Amino acid sequence: MPHSRRKFIRQAAVSTAAFSIIPAFVRAGAVGTRPSDKLNLGFIGCGKQSAGLGNRFVEQTGAQIVAACDVYTKKLEWFVSEKNAAYAEQRDQSSYDGLTAYTDYRALLDHPGLDGVIIATPDHWHATMCVAALDKGLHVYCEKPLAHTLQEGRAIVDACERNGKILQTGSMQRSWRDFRHAVELIRNGHLGEIQEAIVAIGPPPKKFDLDTETLPGGLDWENWVGPALNKGFNHVLAPATREEMWPKWRDYAEYGGGLITDWGAHMFDIVQWALDMDESGPVEFLPPPNRGDTIGASFRYDNGIRVVHEDFGRGFAVRFVGSEGTLDVSRSFLDSSIPGLVDRAIGIGEERVYHSAGHEVDFLQAVKNNTQPICPAETGHRSASVCTLLNICYRLQRSLRWNPKKEKFRGDRAANKLRGDEYRLGV
């Protein structure tokens, strides 16, 4: 990787800012904030994901989006226009012009009175932006997966700790009732002793196969690539504003981790939660039975529980296999081979997990109360790590031993190189 690319991450991960912006709500009072106070937020990344996410933050009475940033000016203009219109309707006004537009995220981080940022960029930018925002004294809501490499994830966690700031990872299934109920049923032994989990999601990233196309006007491609490897512009990486397709940058290791890190950051995250592994991870990874397959790899926790990446015919979902039966959970169903299990209430004295009333409002409440949200940096990092580790197993096509405490492979120099920049070099 070119020296200039490496500098993006190295500088973000090891440097500390010369000064820190004091959040507006802290200036108003030493601890916490009045319920009527609003947190001023900047939105970084105005692509397709920003539409729904931005609307959900607009709906929050405890927050105000005051700035937005994107390297694609058409998308930036669209986002600012749409959110200004939403705020105007909310206020029953004919117009509203309260969002400041930026094309450089570093300028947005210096926006006066900013309390936090929402990061909805491609994965390869997450660490650089998260660390920079945290070092400016800002709180962060970052889309999942939290980081693109293992070392980047740890850098984000370290930045949260040294700055004392709140970070919420956008693994919003933790704020959904069915997933929470599934986790509580499992933790309280209603499925018996857990033996296995089967996670049905898509494949790992593929070899880069896109032709270079003419760069459209209004797109700063150099800053879209940022700390990653420049493979040339193609519209499927950064579609035009109104195109219906989702961008395909996550299909390639230079910019994402395939569906393993995309949907895996949701579904493997539920496995981590259910097995109480939010601060740890697996100890062994096994490649698929047939060399070259993009399904069938597995991993094992130190307690012996095995997790398999496999399609069990119900779409993207998780199946927990216990000594008493099975429990399947997804965004559209929660059911079990045990009659009446999913309707069973968690009893008095049984273990309850964190109850989030909503992912966005949970982040805002955590900031105002100076408490950890449902998916803080360490949790987001650990779930993203499981996905990236599985991708490394697929890439190397061999068994790997992992030390979740030291976050290193045991006796495998080639695999350990893939914890950082080498992971970005494709497959």
Side-chain angles (χ1 to χ4, degrees):
M1 180 178 294
H3 177 70
S4 59
R5 299 276 179 236
R6 288 196 180 97
K7 285 182 64 179
F8 275 94
I9 294 300
R10 186 174 67 251
Q11 290 175 345
V14 303
S15 65
T16 55
F19 63 93
S20 177
I21 295 177
I22 300 174
F25 76 88
V26 173
R27 290 197 299 270
V31 179
T33 182
R34 295 186 304 275
S36 60
D37 288 345
K38 288 180 180 288
L39 300 178
N40 292 327
L41 302 176
F43 209 104
I44 306 174
C46 300
K48 199 171 180 68
Q49 179 67 10
S50 73
L53 183 61
N55 288 340
R56 290 192 294 276
F57 272 102
V58 167
E59 293 167 0
Q60 302 303 320
T61 57
Q64 179 80 20
I65 300 175
V66 298
C69 176
D70 202 284
V71 297
Y72 206 153
T73 56
K74 290 181 181 179
K75 294 182 179 182
L76 176 60
E77 291 167 359
W78 168 81
F79 181 89
V80 170
S81 175
E82 291 285 317
K83 300 324 170 210
N84 274 333
Y87 279 128
E89 182 178 1
Q90 194 178 82
R91 290 163 168 74
D92 195 24
Q93 298 174 350
S94 59
S95 64
Y96 178 82
D97 189 25
L99 270 73
T100 302
Y102 296 93
T103 56
D104 188 328
Y105 79 94
R106 288 157 293 205
L108 178 142
L109 297 183
D110 286 331
H111 184 87
L114 203 62
D115 297 314
V117 295
I118 303 153
I119 297 174
T121 65
D123 301 349
H124 69 273
W125 263 114
H126 284 184
T128 303
M129 292 178 176
C130 281
V131 173
L134 292 163
D135 282 347
K136 285 282 189 179
L138 303 174
H139 302 284
V140 176
Y141 181 108
C142 183
E143 273 294 358
K144 57 83 212 160
L146 180 59
H148 186 39
T149 74
L150 299 166
Q151 290 177 348
E152 289 176 1
R154 181 49 59 193
I156 294 172
V157 176
D158 290 346
C160 281
E161 292 177 352
R162 69 172 173 263
N163 291 295
K165 298 304 171 184
I166 303 302
L167 184 144
Q168 172 85 298
T169 309
S171 298
M172 78 284 190
Q173 288 180 172
R174 291 196 178 219
S175 293
W176 291 19
R177 185 265 176 192
D178 280 359
F179 290 102
R180 179 174 62 250
H181 190 52
V183 167
E184 290 183 335
L185 288 170
I186 291 164
R187 287 204 184 189
N188 286 291
H190 292 269
L191 205 59
E193 184 177 349
I194 300 300
Q195 301 164 344
E196 182 179 70
I198 304 170
V199 177
I201 52 171
K206 60 184 180 180
K207 186 177 180 62
F208 196 90
D209 59 359
L210 300 176
D211 295 329
T212 299
E213 298 175 347
T214 302
L215 195 65
L219 172 59
D220 181 349
W221 182 246
E222 183 69 19
N223 274 318
W224 187 96
V225 173
L229 189 67
N230 192 344
K231 302 291 284 189
F233 168 78
N234 185 289
H235 75 283
V236 306
L237 298 174
T241 304
R242 292 296 182 179
E243 287 188 30
E244 291 298 319
M245 66 176 288
W246 283 91
K248 299 293 185 181
W249 48 261
R250 60 172 40 95
D251 288 354
Y252 307 102
E254 290 80 4
Y255 313 116
L259 286 172
I260 294 287
T261 61
D262 181 12
W263 273 86
H266 288 304
M267 297 305 183
F268 286 119
D269 178 65
I270 298 303
V271 174
Q272 286 273 109
W273 194 21
L275 301 183
D276 197 15
M277 290 290 174
D278 281 348
E279 295 187 1
S280 186
V283 297
E284 183 180 30
F285 289 80
L286 299 174
N290 301 312
R291 187 173 182 84
D293 282 357
T294 57
I295 196 168
S298 63
F299 56 84
R300 178 183 61 83
Y301 291 97
D302 195 41
N303 59 14
I305 296 175
R306 178 173 177 256
V307 181
V308 186
H309 172 221
E310 190 170 87
D311 184 0
F312 56 92
R314 304 197 68 183
F316 290 176
V318 181
R319 170 170 291 170
F320 293 95
V321 181
S323 58
E324 302 298 320
T326 61
L327 176 70
D328 293 359
V329 62
S330 79
R331 294 185 180 183
S332 56
F333 56 78
L334 172 62
D335 53 42
S336 174
S337 64
I338 303 172
L341 176 65
V342 299
D343 296 321
R344 193 177 299 174
I346 304 301
I348 297 174
E350 290 192 292
E351 181 182 356
R352 307 305 296 260
V353 297
Y354 186 118
H355 186 153
S356 162
H359 220 59
E360 294 80 22
V361 69
D362 182 67
F363 166 63
L364 300 177
Q365 289 174 346
V367 171
K368 292 182 178 182
N369 298 327
N370 194 29
T371 57
Q372 289 300 314
I374 192 168
C375 199
E378 182 72 36
T379 299
H381 164 56
R382 293 291 185 168
S383 290
S385 294
V386 169
C387 303
T388 302
L389 288 164
L390 192 63
N391 271 339
I392 292 172
C393 185
Y394 272 115
R395 183 183 297 195
L396 297 179
Q397 290 287 305
R398 66 169 182 267
S399 299
L400 300 168
R401 294 180 300 156
W402 176 251
N403 185 327
K405 184 175 181 179
K406 295 182 177 179
E407 295 188 289
K408 291 183 178 180
F409 292 101
R410 300 176 189 269
D412 196 325
R413 293 181 64 185
N416 276 319
K417 286 183 178 180
L418 296 178
R419 294 179 302 143
D421 284 352
E422 293 295 317
Y423 181 78
R424 298 176 179 273
L425 299 182
V427 294

